[in-house]
Amino acid sequence: MAIPATDLYRSIADLLRATHLVQPSALAAAVNASVRSLGIRVTVFLIDLEQRHLRALPETGAPTSEPFPVDRGVAGDAFMTVRILAASDRSDLLWVPIVDGTERLGVARFAFPEPVSVDDPDLHLGLTALAGLIGHMVITKSAYGDTLRALRRSRSMSTEGELLWRNLPPLTFATDDVTISAILEPTYEIGGDAFDYAVDRDHARLGIFDSVGHGLTACLTAVLTLAAVRSARSNGADLIDMALAADEALTSQFDDLRYTTGVLADLDLTTGLLRYINAGHPAPVLIRDGRAVARLEARRRMPLGLSDSRPVVAEYAMRRGDRLLLYSDGITEARSADGGRFGLDRLIDLAEQHSAGGLLAPEVLRRIGHAVLDHQHGQLQDDATLMIVEWADRVGTRLVP
Amino acid sequence: MIKVDGDLDMSTADSLVDTVTGVVAGAGAVAVDLDLSGLGFLDSSGIRALLRAHRAIVAQGGSLTVSGARGLVAEVLRITAVEELLGVTIPPRRPGGRPPAAGDEAPRQ
């Protein structure tokens, strides 16, 4: 059977028109209303925050589905590889990845009235467009209710987690020139770690942060640091002034020497010149051709919040294809039951091994995050953050279905 | 000189600050050296404790220095870039003193 592309486009237009008045819990019903005339039935599955299970969006009157692990089956493969895949046992089923931009949100199960071909280019175009719209709706509608957010949580979120997650940018962003992807653990109790980025014109501004202590106190320090850096950045400040703005915000609010270690960086997407400030943070590692070729610690200043006005901007010339690995010590210092550190070598090895195996950057991070958790038997002693920045031609294309 | 042994982290940070400030209370401009040669573990809460002790002593006209740090403890002091502020006597950096990476060479500025 060939579904005319124009029919799918009509469904997309219908859904787009309906979306204005859709509340979060009615998203699945709105999607199905738009494709009902084609005999298609859609089940939307969203990935949970820890990126372990795909969870079906409930729909009134529709059968419920149990969450299933992303590591097994065709649906998980579609999520991990961001490819439309056919079910192995049925010719009338397709699994379509749902992304917002390049942020992986889940998969949609499309059940057709007749067998379809995963290689039909018209169908491919129509389905990616429809799934793209669903992805946009998941993100935009999350602002208006708790249903979508709650669905992505396997257990209750701590206060500090709630505060932090709402202050972070999406985990993944990519353009033709650059891919930025990050993870944070532990998902529901994350407090003092954070990351940030902003891509504008020829520059990607990056940040990774680790505030002293744990829990809500550390979280308040981290969120204030984020806000100060962003405020300075959006007002046109350079790296040094961004750091000083964080110093000022923290010392003006807290008189107890709490601080945030961090790296602030600015990557010129035309030339590859990376300028950075390392404020008391573990040195990011530059990986070229599978080898660590540099650590970003040519100069250092004290952590943000301990006023340090030394002009400490350093530079490194990245080459196309280079990957930059920024991390907090919660990754490398994660300890197993017998006291063994996870360590920087293992981190670099895993990143290289997974990348060489063709995995996408967010998938590499998902697996490393789980490896760090497994190393500590699921109980992290400290917040752990990892961010990969890849500067390469056409690097983002593979992240789009 | 005050000798600091064991672990300096969130659970022991307050105790270090209390001890140091207790020792120097009313003593005026004293020069205190914290000997960290017996310290096995130091994290960011521990660094903050050293900074709090430093501030308390400087506030009464004294000075605080840190010596004897080795291994992980020296590495944490180096990474956090507080060596200058805390007057850390820097031991020579051993080639194997931190996790190695192939071709590791900090770029020159």
Side-chain angles (χ1 to χ4, degrees):
Chain A
M1 183 198 88
I3 292 178
T6 46
D7 284 359
L8 272 172
Y9 295 153
R10 163 56 66 111
S11 295
I12 293 166
D14 286 347
L15 182 55
L16 201 48
R17 190 170 52 235
T19 190
H20 296 287
L21 296 178
V22 168
Q23 61 145 303
S25 55
L27 199 155
V31 169
N32 276 304
S34 76
V35 293
R36 186 162 297 124
S37 63
L38 304 177
I40 298 173
R41 166 99 206 132
V42 183
T43 313
V44 175
F45 294 83
L46 298 183
I47 190 74
D48 52 22
L49 281 181
E50 59 268 48
Q51 301 194 69
R52 288 191 188 265
H53 288 85
L54 288 159
R55 296 167 187 276
L57 211 56
E59 183 181 349
T60 312
T64 54
S65 305
E66 286 301 303
F68 54 89
V70 74
D71 290 327
R72 287 197 287 279
V74 178
D77 287 345
F79 172 84
M80 288 189 276
T81 60
V82 193
R83 290 280 163 274
I84 299 180
L85 297 177
S88 48
D89 54 343
R90 283 176 59 178
S91 54
D92 61 340
L93 273 190
L94 292 180
W95 291 96
V96 183
I98 297 176
V99 295
D100 179 53
T102 52
E103 165 94 338
R104 301 183 303 176
L105 298 176
V107 288
R109 175 186 184 272
F110 278 77
F112 298 90
E114 295 171 46
V116 290
S117 166
V118 71
D119 300 319
D120 177 346
D122 266 1
L123 184 62
H124 190 281
L125 207 57
L127 290 180
T128 49
L130 183 52
L133 176 55
I134 296 172
H136 281 305
M137 287 178 71
V138 168
I139 294 302
T140 54
K141 292 300 175 187
S142 290
Y144 304 110
D146 286 335
T147 306
L148 297 169
R149 201 173 290 108
L151 180 70
R152 300 188 65 187
R153 298 173 177 178
S154 63
R155 52 198 178 90
S156 56
M157 180 64 80
S158 63
T159 303
E160 53 267 35
E162 193 74 56
L163 181 57
L164 191 75
W165 280 110
R166 294 209 190 207
N167 275 284
L168 295 178
L171 291 179
T172 303
F173 179 70
T175 68
D176 278 342
D177 294 318
V178 69
T179 294
I180 301 166
S181 195
I183 48 149
L184 281 95
E185 300 280 0
T187 309
Y188 299 94
E189 287 84 28
I190 189 74
D193 272 18
F195 68 91
D196 195 25
Y197 58 80
V199 180
D200 295 284
R201 295 172 295 281
D202 291 339
H203 290 266
R205 270 85 55 88
L206 313 160
I208 185 165
F209 307 98
D210 179 358
S211 295
V212 67
H214 298 299
L216 191 51
T217 309
C219 180
L220 290 169
T221 314
V223 171
L224 181 56
T225 307
L226 268 180
V229 165
R230 285 172 173 167
S231 162
R233 185 184 67 209
S234 65
N235 289 325
D238 61 11
L239 291 172
I240 287 184
D241 286 341
M242 284 158 63
L244 293 177
D247 285 347
E248 167 64 22
L250 290 168
T251 53
S252 72
Q253 287 306 306
F254 304 114
D255 187 35
D256 55 5
L257 292 167
R258 70 181 68 189
Y259 62 75
T260 302
T261 74
V263 174
L264 296 170
D266 180 332
L267 171 62
D268 186 319
L269 298 173
T270 314
T271 64
L273 181 67
L274 182 77
R275 303 176 70 250
Y276 67 91
I277 287 180
N278 186 326
H281 197 79
V285 177
L286 202 289
I287 299 175
R288 176 173 298 161
D289 302 327
R291 292 174 62 238
V293 293
R295 291 168 198 275
L296 301 192
E297 56 178 354
R299 308 175 84 174
R300 284 182 173 277
R301 54 152 281 169
M302 289 193 290
L304 306 171
L306 305 177
S307 303
D308 187 342
S309 55
R310 289 178 280 183
V312 286
V313 178
E315 296 181 350
Y316 191 89
M318 283 179 71
R319 292 188 200 157
R320 291 220 181 244
D322 282 355
R323 266 195 292 274
L324 181 63
L325 217 53
L326 305 104
Y327 61 97
S328 69
D329 61 1
I331 298 273
T332 48
E333 298 301 323
R335 288 183 188 265
S336 61
D338 61 7
R341 296 166 70 244
F342 189 80
L344 183 56
D345 287 348
R346 189 188 320 233
L347 170 61
I348 294 172
D349 283 351
L350 276 177
E352 280 315 291
Q353 185 188 318
H354 287 323
S355 301
L359 293 184
L360 304 172
E363 183 59 23
V364 171
L365 291 185
R366 190 182 76 86
R367 295 189 188 194
I368 294 177
H370 294 170
V372 172
L373 273 170
D374 292 345
H375 186 73
Q376 295 199 328
H377 303 281
Q379 289 295 317
L380 277 189
Q381 312 300 316
D382 192 8
D383 300 335
T385 303
L386 180 59
M387 176 152 85
I388 291 183
V389 179
E390 188 172 4
W391 185 59
D393 284 328
R394 302 181 54 74
V395 66
T397 0
R398 289 203 305 141
L399 290 164
V400 181
Chain B
M1 181 194 288
I2 300 173
K3 201 157 168 27
V4 188
D5 291 338
D7 293 350
L8 185 50
D9 55 20
M10 197 187 284
S11 64
T12 54
D14 286 345
S15 146
L16 174 102
V17 177
D18 291 348
T19 304
V20 172
T21 50
V23 166
V24 302
V30 287
V32 175
D33 185 65
L34 292 181
D35 175 6
L36 305 188
S37 59
L39 194 64
F41 180 79
L42 176 68
D43 69 0
S44 59
S45 295
I47 293 272
R48 182 165 159 254
L50 295 176
L51 295 168
R52 285 161 64 200
H54 174 265
R55 181 161 76 176
I57 291 172
V58 168
Q60 60 183 57
S63 68
L64 178 136
T65 52
V66 168
S67 64
R70 54 194 174 79
L72 172 81
V73 171
E75 180 68 3
V76 171
L77 287 166
R78 185 187 72 80
I79 287 174
T80 322
V82 291
E83 293 156 307
E84 199 173 312
L85 181 72
L86 293 179
V88 176
T89 335
I90 306 167
R93 214 156 104 191
R94 295 173 295 121
R98 62 199 170 97
D104 174 26
E105 180 61 40
R108 300 277 174 263
Q109 297 308 309

